[in-house]
Amino acid sequence: GRMKPVIVVHGGAGRIFKDREEGSRAGVVRAVLRGYGILKQGGSALDAVEEAVRSMEDDPHFNAGCGSVLNEKGEVEMDAIIMDGKNLNSGAVSAVKCIANPIKVARLVMEKTKHMLLTDHGAHLFAQSMGIPETPGEKLITERSLQRWKKNLEPDSNPEELQKDLGTVGAVAIDSEGNVACATSTGGLSNKLIGRVGDTACIGSGGYADNCSGATSTTGHGESIMKVVLARLILYHMEQGMSPEMAADTALDYMKARVGGLGGVIVVNSSGEWAARFSTKQMSWAAVKDDQLHCGIYAGERHTKSVDEALSSESEGF
């Protein structure tokens, strides 16, 4: 039997400042509609999640690709992962610079090498060999990221406080063949140590996909997510019979209780049920199932409209 395709995206958990709210909403809606367009035409879950994440990497409202936060030296260093639920193949890059779309490189690592994770200079050489154009570092830096970096350098600054507005991006999907996939991409933590790699590039933490149970992509405090291997933990709970929503909440509750970490997740299971859950104040998310678009930012918030309506009004914003 053919599955009805489903796709869910997130634009990061944390605190979304009022002036960024509209852009975050529009950005996740645009991304989910692009991914759904691929699924609708019979395309693969892998292509759909890659396209959705690429759309958000190109959107300066999110901490991924253009708009990424800066490390202590004032540079953009990005992490990304993609995973195929059919055969558990995965590709990831960490600490990459001067690349507009790290998720594209992650996909190439999965498909063109025998490895799963390439880092820094090696990832850069690989991207070059694959003909990925180099983007000057300053092209990825927005005025906002620069101001924030400077502010964090001040002696009395509290980067932890500013960290709350994160914006890792991710997508999960199931296609008409019943294959699932996930993709996650981030600029990491503001003013992080050079070479810091968070949860995003780590399989089982930043994302995990397995046709037997489902797929998930995470966002939030990377070190906490790594400690509990959050993505894999959610799938484990689904293997034990929990719904996506229950599995997500159980895992997020555990992370908060055990290591004091906050975050958010998107989940789709092998029968096409989905969830977008978070323990932070906010998380921008959007989902499409049965030609209905759902989206929200605040806890308990959910707007719904038909995909056709969304596509015709996309130019005016949501």
Side-chain angles (χ1 to χ4, degrees):
R2 288 175 78 69
M3 280 293 301
K4 280 189 176 156
V6 179
I7 181 166
V8 192
V9 307
H10 70 74
R15 189 181 55 196
I16 297 159
F17 297 111
K18 271 279 177 252
D19 62 320
R20 319 273 303 163
E21 213 176 277
E22 212 37 63
S24 293
R25 272 180 211 280
V28 289
V29 167
R30 188 180 309 119
V32 87
L33 290 172
R34 281 196 185 167
Y36 190 63
I38 289 173
L39 295 172
K40 231 6 216 177
Q41 292 158 12
S44 70
L46 264 181
D47 285 346
V49 296
E50 181 187 0
E51 177 56 33
V53 164
R54 199 184 61 75
S55 167
M56 291 184 285
E57 285 177 338
D58 291 343
D59 186 331
H61 283 92
F62 303 107
N63 174 19
C66 175
S68 288
V69 298
L70 311 186
N71 67 13
E72 56 175 0
K73 223 173 95 184
E75 301 169 327
V76 166
E77 281 188 324
M78 301 163 291
D79 303 339
I81 194 168
I82 194 165
M83 187 166 182
D84 183 350
K86 193 166 33 194
N87 47 21
L88 304 189
N89 278 354
S90 178
V93 290
S94 74
V96 295
K97 300 185 195 64
C98 305
I99 284 169
N101 297 109
I103 199 65
K104 276 173 75 166
V105 189
R107 175 86 184 256
L108 289 167
V109 169
M110 176 172 82
E111 293 181 344
K112 306 286 186 199
T113 78
K114 294 191 176 90
H115 309 308
M116 283 170 72
L117 172 60
L118 291 181
T119 191
D120 199 355
H121 184 57
H124 187 80
L125 292 175
F126 171 70
Q128 269 182 328
S129 75
M130 288 285 128
I132 302 260
E134 199 169 312
T135 303
E138 57 274 14
K139 270 232 162 78
L140 299 173
I141 297 176
T142 58
E143 186 53 36
R144 178 167 179 266
S145 295
L146 196 61
Q147 290 313 322
R148 188 165 171 185
W149 173 70
K150 285 181 179 155
K151 203 172 165 180
N152 282 342
L153 290 180
E154 290 166 13
D156 56 350
S157 83
N158 180 4
E160 284 302 302
E161 190 42 43
L162 286 161
Q163 238 20 294
K164 294 195 171 86
D165 173 29
L166 286 168
T168 296
V169 305
V172 295
I174 187 164
D175 59 30
S176 55
E177 306 284 311
N179 292 315
V180 300
C182 70
T184 314
S185 180
T186 190
L189 287 178
S190 192
N191 296 62
K192 61 189 178 180
L193 293 181
I194 292 164
R196 179 262 187 185
V197 176
D199 63 297
T200 300
C202 302
I203 189 172
S205 293
Y208 202 82
D210 181 348
N211 280 5
C212 301
S213 47
T216 180
S217 167
T218 68
T219 166
H221 186 245
E223 280 70 15
S224 298
I225 290 170
M226 291 159 96
K227 286 172 187 174
V228 302
V229 197
L230 187 62
R232 190 65 190 84
L233 181 61
I234 291 165
L235 291 195
Y236 165 78
H237 286 315
M238 292 203 299
E239 288 157 6
Q240 305 301 303
M242 284 187 192
S243 68
E245 187 163 308
M246 185 76 194
D249 287 349
T250 304
L252 284 168
D253 288 350
Y254 174 73
M255 183 168 81
K256 191 173 176 181
R258 188 70 180 86
V259 296
L262 301 179
V265 299
I266 49 173
V267 191
V268 65
N269 71 8
S270 50
S271 42
E273 297 174 296
W274 63 273
R277 309 292 292 170
F278 47 99
S279 52
T280 51
K281 275 208 174 70
Q282 289 144 294
M283 179 179 80
S284 53
W285 63 271
V288 177
K289 181 179 181 174
D290 293 328
D291 286 313
Q292 291 291 302
L293 167 74
H294 311 273
C295 73
I297 285 188
Y298 294 93
E301 178 195 3
R302 181 154 160 186
H303 304 282
T304 302
K305 57 162 73 173
S306 76
V307 164
D308 291 342
E309 198 189 334
L311 283 169
S312 62
S313 71
E314 215 207 325
S315 43
E316 302 113 64
F318 200 69

PDB file of all heavy atoms in Angstrom, residues 92-115:
ATOM      1  N   ALA A  92      27.274  13.352   7.527  1.00  0.00           N
ATOM      2  CA  ALA A  92      27.299  14.559   8.350  1.00  0.00           C
ATOM      3  C   ALA A  92      28.587  15.327   8.126  1.00  0.00           C
ATOM      4  O   ALA A  92      29.596  14.762   7.691  1.00  0.00           O
ATOM      5  CB  ALA A  92      27.157  14.193   9.830  1.00  0.00           C
ATOM      6  N   VAL A  93      28.509  16.628   8.422  1.00  0.00           N
ATOM      7  CA  VAL A  93      29.711  17.469   8.416  1.00  0.00           C
ATOM      8  C   VAL A  93      29.721  18.268   9.711  1.00  0.00           C
ATOM      9  O   VAL A  93      28.668  18.572  10.267  1.00  0.00           O
ATOM     10  CB  VAL A  93      29.757  18.444   7.219  1.00  0.00           C
ATOM     11  CG1 VAL A  93      29.988  17.690   5.920  1.00  0.00           C
ATOM     12  CG2 VAL A  93      28.492  19.306   7.138  1.00  0.00           C
ATOM     13  N   SER A  94      30.916  18.582  10.185  1.00  0.00           N
ATOM     14  CA  SER A  94      31.004  19.411  11.389  1.00  0.00           C
ATOM     15  C   SER A  94      32.066  20.485  11.211  1.00  0.00           C
ATOM     16  O   SER A  94      33.049  20.287  10.488  1.00  0.00           O
ATOM     17  CB  SER A  94      31.331  18.548  12.617  1.00  0.00           C
ATOM     18  OG  SER A  94      32.680  18.141  12.594  1.00  0.00           O
ATOM     19  N   ALA A  95      31.842  21.608  11.858  1.00  0.00           N
ATOM     20  CA  ALA A  95      32.772  22.741  11.858  1.00  0.00           C
ATOM     21  C   ALA A  95      33.160  23.186  10.453  1.00  0.00           C
ATOM     22  O   ALA A  95      34.309  23.524  10.201  1.00  0.00           O
ATOM     23  CB  ALA A  95      34.023  22.411  12.688  1.00  0.00           C
ATOM     24  N   VAL A  96      32.206  23.162   9.521  1.00  0.00           N
ATOM     25  CA  VAL A  96      32.528  23.601   8.159  1.00  0.00           C
ATOM     26  C   VAL A  96      32.333  25.099   8.021  1.00  0.00           C
ATOM     27  O   VAL A  96      31.435  25.690   8.613  1.00  0.00           O
ATOM     28  CB  VAL A  96      31.712  22.858   7.067  1.00  0.00           C
ATOM     29  CG1 VAL A  96      32.068  21.393   7.031  1.00  0.00           C
ATOM     30  CG2 VAL A  96      30.222  23.048   7.241  1.00  0.00           C
ATOM     31  N   LYS A  97      33.227  25.702   7.236  1.00  0.00           N
ATOM     32  CA  LYS A  97      33.179  27.141   6.991  1.00  0.00           C
ATOM     33  C   LYS A  97      33.000  27.391   5.493  1.00  0.00           C
ATOM     34  O   LYS A  97      33.326  26.532   4.676  1.00  0.00           O
ATOM     35  CB  LYS A  97      34.500  27.792   7.418  1.00  0.00           C
ATOM     36  CG  LYS A  97      34.893  27.643   8.877  1.00  0.00           C
ATOM     37  CD  LYS A  97      36.159  28.478   9.103  1.00  0.00           C
ATOM     38  CE  LYS A  97      36.897  28.173  10.377  1.00  0.00           C
ATOM     39  NZ  LYS A  97      37.458  26.812  10.482  1.00  0.00           N
ATOM     40  N   CYS A  98      32.537  28.593   5.162  1.00  0.00           N
ATOM     41  CA  CYS A  98      32.498  29.043   3.759  1.00  0.00           C
ATOM     42  C   CYS A  98      31.702  28.139   2.822  1.00  0.00           C
ATOM     43  O   CYS A  98      32.068  27.963   1.657  1.00  0.00           O
ATOM     44  CB  CYS A  98      33.917  29.232   3.212  1.00  0.00           C
ATOM     45  SG  CYS A  98      34.910  30.330   4.216  1.00  0.00           S
ATOM     46  N   ILE A  99      30.630  27.542   3.348  1.00  0.00           N
ATOM     47  CA  ILE A  99      29.745  26.730   2.525  1.00  0.00           C
ATOM     48  C   ILE A  99      28.322  27.211   2.784  1.00  0.00           C
ATOM     49  O   ILE A  99      27.906  27.334   3.935  1.00  0.00           O
ATOM     50  CB  ILE A  99      29.900  25.229   2.873  1.00  0.00           C
ATOM     51  CG1 ILE A  99      31.194  24.694   2.250  1.00  0.00           C
ATOM     52  CG2 ILE A  99      28.696  24.426   2.407  1.00  0.00           C
ATOM     53  CD1 ILE A  99      31.598  23.336   2.728  1.00  0.00           C
ATOM     54  N   ALA A 100      27.583  27.508   1.715  1.00  0.00           N
ATOM     55  CA  ALA A 100      26.244  28.071   1.882  1.00  0.00           C
ATOM     56  C   ALA A 100      25.256  27.034   2.410  1.00  0.00           C
ATOM     57  O   ALA A 100      24.377  27.344   3.201  1.00  0.00           O
ATOM     58  CB  ALA A 100      25.746  28.651   0.566  1.00  0.00           C
ATOM     59  N   ASN A 101      25.415  25.775   1.965  1.00  0.00           N
ATOM     60  CA  ASN A 101      24.452  24.728   2.326  1.00  0.00           C
ATOM     61  C   ASN A 101      25.126  23.459   2.833  1.00  0.00           C
ATOM     62  O   ASN A 101      25.294  22.482   2.093  1.00  0.00           O
ATOM     63  CB  ASN A 101      23.556  24.400   1.132  1.00  0.00           C
ATOM     64  CG  ASN A 101      22.710  25.576   0.700  1.00  0.00           C
ATOM     65  OD1 ASN A 101      22.933  26.169  -0.351  1.00  0.00           O
ATOM     66  ND2 ASN A 101      21.737  25.930   1.524  1.00  0.00           N
ATOM     67  N   PRO A 102      25.487  23.462   4.127  1.00  0.00           N
ATOM     68  CA  PRO A 102      26.133  22.286   4.715  1.00  0.00           C
ATOM     69  C   PRO A 102      25.325  20.992   4.518  1.00  0.00           C
ATOM     70  O   PRO A 102      25.887  19.921   4.402  1.00  0.00           O
ATOM     71  CB  PRO A 102      26.233  22.648   6.200  1.00  0.00           C
ATOM     72  CG  PRO A 102      26.270  24.134   6.217  1.00  0.00           C
ATOM     73  CD  PRO A 102      25.393  24.577   5.091  1.00  0.00           C
ATOM     74  N   ILE A 103      23.981  21.095   4.449  1.00  0.00           N
ATOM     75  CA  ILE A 103      23.170  19.889   4.309  1.00  0.00           C
ATOM     76  C   ILE A 103      23.450  19.186   2.983  1.00  0.00           C
ATOM     77  O   ILE A 103      23.405  17.956   2.887  1.00  0.00           O
ATOM     78  CB  ILE A 103      21.648  20.195   4.464  1.00  0.00           C
ATOM     79  CG1 ILE A 103      20.865  18.913   4.790  1.00  0.00           C
ATOM     80  CG2 ILE A 103      21.078  20.894   3.250  1.00  0.00           C
ATOM     81  CD1 ILE A 103      21.188  18.285   6.130  1.00  0.00           C
ATOM     82  N   LYS A 104      23.794  19.963   1.945  1.00  0.00           N
ATOM     83  CA  LYS A 104      24.129  19.363   0.649  1.00  0.00           C
ATOM     84  C   LYS A 104      25.406  18.544   0.751  1.00  0.00           C
ATOM     85  O   LYS A 104      25.523  17.471   0.161  1.00  0.00           O
ATOM     86  CB  LYS A 104      24.330  20.460  -0.412  1.00  0.00           C
ATOM     87  CG  LYS A 104      23.041  20.918  -1.049  1.00  0.00           C
ATOM     88  CD  LYS A 104      23.244  22.109  -1.970  1.00  0.00           C
ATOM     89  CE  LYS A 104      23.887  21.752  -3.293  1.00  0.00           C
ATOM     90  NZ  LYS A 104      23.748  22.893  -4.263  1.00  0.00           N
ATOM     91  N   VAL A 105      26.361  19.082   1.520  1.00  0.00           N
ATOM     92  CA  VAL A 105      27.629  18.372   1.688  1.00  0.00           C
ATOM     93  C   VAL A 105      27.407  17.098   2.512  1.00  0.00           C
ATOM     94  O   VAL A 105      27.972  16.053   2.211  1.00  0.00           O
ATOM     95  CB  VAL A 105      28.705  19.268   2.345  1.00  0.00           C
ATOM     96  CG1 VAL A 105      30.056  18.580   2.304  1.00  0.00           C
ATOM     97  CG2 VAL A 105      28.783  20.611   1.623  1.00  0.00           C
ATOM     98  N   ALA A 106      26.548  17.190   3.537  1.00  0.00           N
ATOM     99  CA  ALA A 106      26.230  16.011   4.351  1.00  0.00           C
ATOM    100  C   ALA A 106      25.647  14.897   3.475  1.00  0.00           C
ATOM    101  O   ALA A 106      26.012  13.721   3.595  1.00  0.00           O
ATOM    102  CB  ALA A 106      25.251  16.387   5.464  1.00  0.00           C
ATOM    103  N   ARG A 107      24.739  15.278   2.566  1.00  0.00           N
ATOM    104  CA  ARG A 107      24.131  14.303   1.648  1.00  0.00           C
ATOM    105  C   ARG A 107      25.189  13.654   0.764  1.00  0.00           C
ATOM    106  O   ARG A 107      25.163  12.449   0.507  1.00  0.00           O
ATOM    107  CB  ARG A 107      23.068  15.014   0.789  1.00  0.00           C
ATOM    108  CG  ARG A 107      22.425  14.174  -0.298  1.00  0.00           C
ATOM    109  CD  ARG A 107      21.252  13.380   0.216  1.00  0.00           C
ATOM    110  NE  ARG A 107      20.666  12.501  -0.780  1.00  0.00           N
ATOM    111  CZ  ARG A 107      19.525  12.732  -1.431  1.00  0.00           C
ATOM    112  NH1 ARG A 107      18.859  13.860  -1.202  1.00  0.00           N
ATOM    113  NH2 ARG A 107      19.052  11.851  -2.285  1.00  0.00           N
ATOM    114  N   LEU A 108      26.149  14.454   0.295  1.00  0.00           N
ATOM    115  CA  LEU A 108      27.234  13.920  -0.538  1.00  0.00           C
ATOM    116  C   LEU A 108      28.157  12.998   0.252  1.00  0.00           C
ATOM    117  O   LEU A 108      28.634  11.996  -0.269  1.00  0.00           O
ATOM    118  CB  LEU A 108      28.022  15.065  -1.189  1.00  0.00           C
ATOM    119  CG  LEU A 108      27.287  15.827  -2.296  1.00  0.00           C
ATOM    120  CD1 LEU A 108      28.015  17.114  -2.646  1.00  0.00           C
ATOM    121  CD2 LEU A 108      27.122  14.957  -3.538  1.00  0.00           C
ATOM    122  N   VAL A 109      28.403  13.344   1.516  1.00  0.00           N
ATOM    123  CA  VAL A 109      29.218  12.462   2.371  1.00  0.00           C
ATOM    124  C   VAL A 109      28.541  11.096   2.456  1.00  0.00           C
ATOM    125  O   VAL A 109      29.174  10.052   2.336  1.00  0.00           O
ATOM    126  CB  VAL A 109      29.399  13.055   3.797  1.00  0.00           C
ATOM    127  CG1 VAL A 109      30.010  12.019   4.739  1.00  0.00           C
ATOM    128  CG2 VAL A 109      30.285  14.300   3.749  1.00  0.00           C
ATOM    129  N   MET A 110      27.225  11.096   2.616  1.00  0.00           N
ATOM    130  CA  MET A 110      26.468   9.843   2.709  1.00  0.00           C
ATOM    131  C   MET A 110      26.541   9.042   1.412  1.00  0.00           C
ATOM    132  O   MET A 110      26.725   7.830   1.438  1.00  0.00           O
ATOM    133  CB  MET A 110      25.003  10.152   3.044  1.00  0.00           C
ATOM    134  CG  MET A 110      24.116   8.929   3.063  1.00  0.00           C
ATOM    135  SD  MET A 110      22.450   9.287   3.690  1.00  0.00           S
ATOM    136  CE  MET A 110      21.699   9.942   2.211  1.00  0.00           C
ATOM    137  N   GLU A 111      26.415   9.742   0.278  1.00  0.00           N
ATOM    138  CA  GLU A 111      26.277   9.024  -0.992  1.00  0.00           C
ATOM    139  C   GLU A 111      27.577   8.800  -1.747  1.00  0.00           C
ATOM    140  O   GLU A 111      27.660   7.880  -2.550  1.00  0.00           O
ATOM    141  CB  GLU A 111      25.270   9.765  -1.878  1.00  0.00           C
ATOM    142  CG  GLU A 111      23.865   9.678  -1.280  1.00  0.00           C
ATOM    143  CD  GLU A 111      22.797  10.361  -2.113  1.00  0.00           C
ATOM    144  OE1 GLU A 111      23.158  11.168  -3.001  1.00  0.00           O
ATOM    145  OE2 GLU A 111      21.609  10.087  -1.858  1.00  0.00           O
ATOM    146  N   LYS A 112      28.591   9.617  -1.495  1.00  0.00           N
ATOM    147  CA  LYS A 112      29.817   9.520  -2.299  1.00  0.00           C
ATOM    148  C   LYS A 112      31.046   9.043  -1.531  1.00  0.00           C
ATOM    149  O   LYS A 112      32.122   8.965  -2.100  1.00  0.00           O
ATOM    150  CB  LYS A 112      30.137  10.886  -2.935  1.00  0.00           C
ATOM    151  CG  LYS A 112      29.015  11.498  -3.725  1.00  0.00           C
ATOM    152  CD  LYS A 112      28.814  10.797  -5.049  1.00  0.00           C
ATOM    153  CE  LYS A 112      27.767  11.508  -5.899  1.00  0.00           C
ATOM    154  NZ  LYS A 112      27.229  10.619  -6.956  1.00  0.00           N
ATOM    155  N   THR A 113      30.906   8.785  -0.224  1.00  0.00           N
ATOM    156  CA  THR A 113      32.062   8.282   0.535  1.00  0.00           C
ATOM    157  C   THR A 113      31.650   7.037   1.320  1.00  0.00           C
ATOM    158  O   THR A 113      30.468   6.724   1.409  1.00  0.00           O
ATOM    159  CB  THR A 113      32.589   9.329   1.560  1.00  0.00           C
ATOM    160  OG1 THR A 113      31.732   9.337   2.707  1.00  0.00           O
ATOM    161  CG2 THR A 113      32.658  10.721   0.973  1.00  0.00           C
ATOM    162  N   LYS A 114      32.630   6.379   1.909  1.00  0.00           N
ATOM    163  CA  LYS A 114      32.337   5.228   2.763  1.00  0.00           C
ATOM    164  C   LYS A 114      32.190   5.682   4.216  1.00  0.00           C
ATOM    165  O   LYS A 114      32.030   4.868   5.109  1.00  0.00           O
ATOM    166  CB  LYS A 114      33.492   4.214   2.691  1.00  0.00           C
ATOM    167  CG  LYS A 114      33.666   3.566   1.326  1.00  0.00           C
ATOM    168  CD  LYS A 114      34.639   2.396   1.433  1.00  0.00           C
ATOM    169  CE  LYS A 114      34.766   1.643   0.120  1.00  0.00           C
ATOM    170  NZ  LYS A 114      35.846   2.211  -0.730  1.00  0.00           N
ATOM    171  N   HIS A 115      32.280   6.992   4.421  1.00  0.00           N
ATOM    172  CA  HIS A 115      32.270   7.525   5.782  1.00  0.00           C
ATOM    173  C   HIS A 115      30.924   8.144   6.126  1.00  0.00           C
ATOM    174  O   HIS A 115      30.058   8.298   5.278  1.00  0.00           O
ATOM    175  CB  HIS A 115      33.369   8.574   5.939  1.00  0.00           C
ATOM    176  CG  HIS A 115      34.704   8.086   5.477  1.00  0.00           C
ATOM    177  ND1 HIS A 115      35.254   6.905   5.926  1.00  0.00           N
ATOM    178  CD2 HIS A 115      35.588   8.615   4.598  1.00  0.00           C
ATOM    179  CE1 HIS A 115      36.437   6.734   5.344  1.00  0.00           C
ATOM    180  NE2 HIS A 115      36.660   7.743   4.529  1.00  0.00           N
TER     181      HIS A 115
END
